[in-house]
Amino acid sequence: MSGAVNPPRPRNEPVLGYAPGSAERASLKAALAAMAGETVDIPAVVGGKEIRSGTTHDVVSPHDHRRVLARSHQADAATIQAAIQSSREAWRDWSATRFEDRAAVFLKAADLLAGPWRARVNAATMLGQSKTAFQAEIDSACELIDFWRFNVQFAERLYQEQPESAPLTWNRMDHRPLEGFVYAITPFNFTAIGGNLPTAPALMGNVAIWKPSHTALLSNYYVFKVLEEAGLPPGVINFLPGESVQVSNALLADRSLGGIHFTGSTAVFHTLWRTVGENLAGYLSYPRIVGETGGKDFVLAHPSADVDALVVGLVRGAYEYQGQKCSAASRAYVPASLWPKVKERMLAMIAEIRMGDVTDFRNFMGAVIDRRAFDRLAGYLARAKQDPGVTILAGGGAKADTGYFVEPTLIQVEDPRYRTMCEELFGPVLTAYVYPDARWTETLALVDQTSPYALTGAVFARDRRALAEAEAVLRYSAGNFYLNDKPTGAVVGQQPFGGARASGTNDKAGSILNLVRWTSPRSIKETFVPPQDYRYPFMGAE
């Protein structure tokens, strides 16, 4: 860093409403129409050069799986090795580039996404990941813009973290990038995460190899194009679609692996961590491992809860984006005194939910991401219909003839440890357990002990003592904890996101804490007037 650079102060990007007659609605509709006839050819991009292996993967719309949106070239062994070599070469210049020059790239990318690229990236997210206009807007536009702008502020704060100096000396902290490349493995469900995982390390002077999810390739490719237009030098981030195991085996075996930035399943994260451990002796440095995995996120209602607020929190928390958020409400604990009203109002709301093609703006839900997700969810629902003590109150249906549609489903169970109360489903399925009002304290312990995850959770109550008790007992149950609000919708700069236990390393994307992980500090002491005599005063004669 070359002194104070005073980058623009960030503010959260305003969420556009897309109401009928609005300019943003017309722009998004035009982008959707323009993309309707396209089949995009997506290459790997290594060192700024597009590489087409000829082995392609079809990217389809989840809500219309006959529609091929893109064909992505899968990186072969030579391309993967080229990406590693390109990263090594780019590191030499990028790691020495001034902070203000690095920051300018991502600030420009944020402005490009906020302006001319907004409709196209949002439309790609809608078509490729089956998000509604609103869900795409808060993700692929607003959150990613916020990541890029706020990360610059966080980085500036980090660079200003400097030690004290004693007389005749000057102490400095050199916040160096890691030696080697960061392997960024990104998920299907948030375009913003796809953009943030490689760029947060890159802002700090690192280089990254970006392995996007094959089911989010269309939007992720356009995000990469935004970065290119913003002036990101070739090789700083290499874009590497490909077969996950092949890519990971090559990158994790390389001496230059400096870190992993991951969002995905707990099982995959375990495998990555285990492989790094097995290869530990071969690395230049101990790799930094940062991961956000899954959740079995809870909503707990106290007898004093506001029923209307609770019901809206449950419906939005469980069914927005088909429940395919790591933070989605998946298990609910409702007191018996409130359950009749809660049940009645939830069933009425669920009955009104429209599900279908997301280009029809009247729909609240689209499709789940692919056949594998559909089959897994359909299996849970089929089992629930047969199990004693389980009642499907709403939904329960699943059809995959045109798209991978799973109905918004509400299940009531007698056993609070039934599998849908414990296991991550990642779909529009909410399981409710009705507890006796007098067992509030016992239910707090039940919530804490039921799931291995600890990502998000919400408590609804008007009784302040109940909120305080829940906050204390559930202190380690959720990395993002909500009082009288749904457990989804974390905003960069407002609610840094991440959880612990089986939910990940809790390194808080959207905060300075995440950027700390991508630096390797060096302490520098400069002595202006060095001593000229080895002897100390105490050694003098009496």
Side-chain angles (χ1 to χ4, degrees):
M1 187 172 177
S2 56
V5 297
N6 193 31
R9 295 297 91 184
R11 62 180 179 86
N12 291 112
E13 179 68 12
V15 178
L16 302 183
Y18 297 91
S22 64
E24 65 266 17
R25 187 184 181 102
S27 177
L28 182 56
K29 286 279 192 179
L32 289 167
M35 295 170 72
E38 296 178 345
T39 301
V40 180
D41 182 59
I42 299 178
V45 184
V46 174
K49 298 179 180 179
E50 297 184 350
I51 300 176
R52 292 172 171 82
S53 65
T55 302
T56 60
H57 169 82
D58 285 351
V59 180
V60 303
S61 273
H63 48 271
D64 182 4
H65 45 61
R66 295 165 297 185
R67 170 75 177 95
V68 179
L69 301 167
R71 290 189 171 90
S72 170
H73 292 264
Q74 305 295 280
D76 55 21
T79 302
I80 297 169
Q81 290 303 316
I84 294 171
Q85 183 60 32
S86 170
S87 295
R88 291 185 184 132
E89 294 169 358
W91 184 88
R92 289 194 292 269
D93 287 337
W94 186 248
S95 65
T97 298
R98 299 183 308 168
F99 168 62
E100 51 264 48
D101 294 321
R102 286 183 269 120
V105 171
F106 300 107
L107 292 174
K108 182 175 180 178
D111 285 352
L112 288 170
L113 182 54
W117 280 88
R118 190 185 203 116
R120 176 160 283 267
V121 175
N122 277 350
T125 300
M126 292 175 67
L127 295 174
Q129 292 139 270
S130 203
K131 290 201 170 187
T132 64
F134 177 74
Q135 292 297 311
E137 169 71 9
I138 62 175
D139 166 25
S140 49
C142 297
E143 186 172 27
L144 185 49
I145 293 165
D146 286 350
F147 274 134
W148 287 340
R149 289 175 176 162
F150 277 85
N151 279 348
V152 169
Q153 180 195 48
F154 299 143
E156 183 190 31
R157 284 173 48 198
L158 179 57
Y159 287 133
Q160 290 173 351
E161 183 66 29
Q162 294 294 324
E164 297 295 323
S165 295
L168 308 182
T169 64
W170 182 16
N171 295 318
R172 306 191 298 277
M173 187 73 79
D174 176 11
H175 297 278
R176 305 170 299 179
L178 309 178
E179 289 189 278
F181 62 85
V182 174
Y183 181 22
I185 307 168
T186 63
F188 79 84
N189 58 336
F190 281 95
T191 302
I193 297 176
N196 184 56
L197 265 56
T199 59
L203 175 64
M204 305 310 295
N206 296 281
V207 295
I209 297 177
W210 179 5
K211 166 63 181 69
S213 168
H214 70 272
T215 44
L217 270 168
L218 185 62
S219 65
N220 287 191
Y221 178 62
Y222 284 133
V223 168
F224 185 79
K225 300 301 286 183
V226 172
L227 293 169
E228 285 188 324
E229 185 173 332
L232 186 72
V236 171
I237 296 175
N238 288 311
F239 187 75
L240 206 64
E243 199 278 316
S244 299
V245 173
Q246 181 185 20
V247 174
S248 290
N249 284 346
L251 268 56
L252 299 186
D254 194 87
R255 175 174 171 78
S256 298
L257 179 71
I260 297 173
H261 207 186
F262 173 85
T263 295
S265 76
T266 302
V268 171
F269 194 50
H270 283 179
T271 299
L272 293 169
W273 200 305
R274 186 180 304 112
T275 303
V276 167
E278 292 168 351
N279 295 340
L280 205 55
Y283 297 129
L284 183 63
S285 300
Y286 293 109
R288 300 289 175 86
I289 304 177
V290 175
E292 191 261 296
T293 56
K296 189 63 182 176
D297 309 298
F298 63 85
V299 175
L300 170 62
H302 184 262
S304 68
D306 180 314
V307 169
D308 290 331
L310 171 63
V311 170
V312 170
L314 287 169
V315 170
R316 285 186 170 181
Y319 304 129
E320 284 185 320
Y321 191 43
Q322 299 79 263
Q324 295 176 126
K325 301 182 181 184
C326 304
S327 57
S330 183
R331 53 188 172 119
Y333 302 80
V334 183
S337 60
L338 298 186
W339 178 242
K341 288 183 179 179
V342 170
K343 175 182 172 181
E344 177 186 4
R345 295 180 192 182
M346 280 201 72
L347 294 181
M349 286 188 189
I350 293 171
E352 293 178 355
I353 289 176
R354 286 178 55 109
M355 178 176 65
D357 190 328
V358 294
T359 61
D360 181 344
F361 283 24
R362 296 171 297 175
N363 289 325
F364 181 80
M365 288 174 54
V368 298
I369 193 66
D370 59 15
R371 168 64 73 173
R372 185 172 64 173
F374 175 86
D375 288 343
R376 185 184 68 252
L377 290 163
Y380 272 103
L381 294 175
R383 174 75 177 271
K385 291 173 183 176
Q386 299 173 354
D387 286 346
V390 178
T391 304
I392 295 181
L393 301 174
K399 291 182 64 178
D401 47 354
T402 59
Y404 303 115
F405 291 104
V406 178
E407 294 177 346
T409 299
L410 177 61
I411 297 174
Q412 182 180 352
V413 295
E414 296 175 7
D415 178 5
R417 297 189 184 276
Y418 180 69
R419 60 194 309 228
T420 61
M421 289 290 286
C422 305
E423 300 171 18
E424 185 182 36
L425 274 63
F426 224 65
V429 180
L430 175 65
T431 305
Y433 170 69
V434 180
Y435 71 90
D437 289 38
R439 297 186 65 84
W440 160 254
T441 300
E442 293 89 341
T443 303
L444 285 171
L446 178 66
V447 171
D448 181 58
Q449 297 165 9
T450 294
S451 166
Y453 298 102
L455 189 54
T456 74
V459 177
F460 283 79
R462 285 180 285 200
D463 184 331
R464 193 70 215 180
R465 291 170 301 179
L467 290 175
E469 183 182 7
E471 191 170 342
V473 175
L474 301 176
R475 189 180 184 200
Y476 289 92
S477 302
N480 282 59
F481 191 67
Y482 297 82
L483 304 178
N484 293 310
D485 203 351
K486 61 184 175 66
T488 65
V491 177
V492 175
Q494 296 186 36
Q495 298 96 28
F497 190 78
R501 296 181 180 172
S503 290
T505 58
N506 201 20
D507 286 295
K508 293 299 184 193
S511 80
I512 194 173
L513 299 175
N514 185 273
L515 298 189
V516 169
R517 298 285 278 148
W518 309 119
T519 64
S520 179
R522 175 175 63 150
S523 294
I524 302 172
K525 177 187 178 183
E526 181 175 357
T527 301
F528 294 128
V529 184
Q532 302 295 315
D533 190 336
Y534 83 92
R535 289 167 293 190
Y536 292 97
F538 80 91
M539 298 169 65
E542 294 293 342

